[in-house]
Amino acid sequence: WPRGYAIAFAAVSLISIYAAAGARMTIADLMYFWGPKAVHFFHERAIDVEFLRFPHYYLMHPDYPPLVPLTWAASSMIAGKFSYWGAVLTAPLLLIAAALTFRGFASPVLGPRKSAAFATLLLAVTTVATIAGSAAGGGDPYLLAFEATALSALTFSRARGATVIAAIALAGAAFAKVEGAAFAAAVAMALVLVGRFRTAIAVASPAILLVASWIAFARHHGLLDAYGRADRQLHLSNLGAVLRWSGQQLSYRSFYLPWIAALGPFVAARSFRPAILPLLVALASIGYSLYFYLHEPDPLWWIQSSAERVMTTTLLCFVVATAAASE
């Protein structure tokens, strides 16, 4: 690491850790959603089906992908108890890991200085978005780490090993959050559009198998919820309101600075061809986020409580695209 960039990266890392340690970016769902699942899985030493199907806990979404609470349950089995602070402090570590993974793939292509600069930018924008969206202690930091790994591997490397890593990361994303499956599908479709059909099949297959097995498990135990809503009505009349409300939330309470920082370097871009893949995924992430919101007759509360977190994926994709265009 060039010294100046190392200092900047360390400073942003400390800000991220401080924000988590002061509970400034803790999500309420840690107490009402992710945490209780982890605690019950820990005590049962298994996925607690009876707990998930209890009708009073329906808003916990019984069929939600279980990777995050299973991870916490496993660590609790080692520690002897579940740590809510541990769950919160995992967030900055995952954001730092995402930025370092990005640099690992980007450095052979961009060089040490430029890759360090964009890694610092990636950490900065995801930290701001995580603080604004109060995402620590939930599944979003896991999702961002998996997404950064998969997209960086596919954008900056054509090696077979990178494809394997991307496939594992997409499977992790799909098993961490519902949006992760949409992201995996977006990556696969983007790969097809850029002519990498075999790679698309290779990286999407593990995610498909993993999600399909979980849906089969949920159906067998009567837990289907989020994955059983394919017939819900689409409220296209809300499109204008959804765009307006989403735009208001995405300022990240910083005058849209994360978006300016992520896309600003495009002004000096040298090559747009390497950036096509992450740009397509970024546009797809906007599309499927809006598509989800349009399935609610009155999505205002949902947008206000989630848009800052959900759209962090788009921010991440834009940073990767900007970096790729600077080759």
Side-chain angles (χ1 to χ4, degrees):
W1 280 73
R3 185 174 181 178
Y5 292 114
I7 293 172
F9 190 89
V12 178
S13 298
L14 289 174
I15 292 171
S16 181
I17 294 170
Y18 175 75
R24 285 167 171 78
M25 57 181 182
T26 305
I27 190 169
D29 283 353
L30 172 61
M31 300 298 181
Y32 302 115
F33 184 106
W34 303 100
K37 286 185 177 182
V39 170
H40 278 266
F41 295 176
F42 159 52
H43 287 299
E44 291 296 319
R45 300 299 197 268
I47 294 175
D48 192 342
V49 173
E50 295 304 317
F51 169 74
L52 292 178
R53 68 157 59 115
F54 188 67
H56 291 181
Y57 302 149
Y58 175 75
L59 291 179
M60 287 188 183
H61 305 299
D63 68 344
Y64 209 81
L67 178 63
V68 175
L70 285 175
T71 302
W72 291 346
S75 63
S76 299
M77 290 168 64
I78 298 171
K81 63 179 181 179
F82 175 71
S83 170
Y84 280 92
W85 274 111
V88 173
L89 288 167
T90 300
L93 299 182
L94 287 167
L95 298 182
I96 293 169
L100 292 175
T101 302
F102 160 82
R103 184 172 188 264
F105 283 108
S107 185
V109 178
L110 303 181
R113 296 182 64 83
K114 193 176 291 185
S115 62
F118 279 106
T120 305
L121 175 62
L122 180 64
L123 178 60
V125 297
T126 53
T127 294
V128 170
T130 302
I131 294 172
S134 301
D140 295 278
Y142 285 83
L143 183 63
L144 292 172
F146 286 129
E147 291 172 340
T149 300
L151 197 58
S152 300
L154 294 170
T155 300
F156 296 106
S157 176
R158 294 295 183 94
R160 184 175 299 178
T163 301
V164 173
I165 291 173
I168 295 171
L170 287 180
F175 217 43
K177 294 199 71 184
V178 169
E179 295 93 330
F183 180 84
V187 170
M189 289 187 291
L191 286 168
V192 171
L193 290 175
V194 298
R196 299 168 65 181
F197 183 74
R198 290 184 178 179
T199 303
I201 295 176
V203 299
S205 295
I208 293 171
L209 290 174
L210 198 57
V211 172
S213 68
W214 172 245
I215 292 174
F217 176 89
R219 179 181 288 114
H220 175 73
H221 291 287
L223 303 176
L224 276 186
D225 171 33
Y227 289 109
R229 302 183 182 183
D231 58 344
R232 293 182 65 193
Q233 181 181 353
L234 191 65
H235 302 275
L236 289 175
S237 59
N238 288 339
L239 179 59
V242 167
L243 290 173
R244 183 173 67 256
W245 294 332
S246 298
Q248 292 169 354
Q249 291 299 117
L250 294 181
S251 70
Y252 287 110
R253 286 170 265 175
S254 57
F255 304 101
Y256 299 94
L257 184 59
W259 300 100
I260 296 171
L263 291 170
F266 254 117
V267 175
R270 298 178 179 179
S271 175
F272 290 100
R273 187 177 180 84
I276 292 176
L277 178 66
L279 279 177
L280 288 173
V281 178
L283 295 175
S285 70
I286 296 172
Y288 66 66
S289 299
L290 297 177
Y291 180 76
F292 290 152
Y293 290 140
L294 288 172
H295 280 81
E296 285 292 327
D298 184 11
L300 176 59
W301 180 86
W302 189 12
I303 292 172
Q304 290 177 336
S305 62
S306 69
E308 291 168 321
R309 293 183 289 107
V310 171
M311 290 295 190
T312 306
T313 291
T314 308
L315 265 177
L316 184 151
C317 293
F318 279 144
V319 173
V320 175
T322 302
S326 70
E327 287 186 28

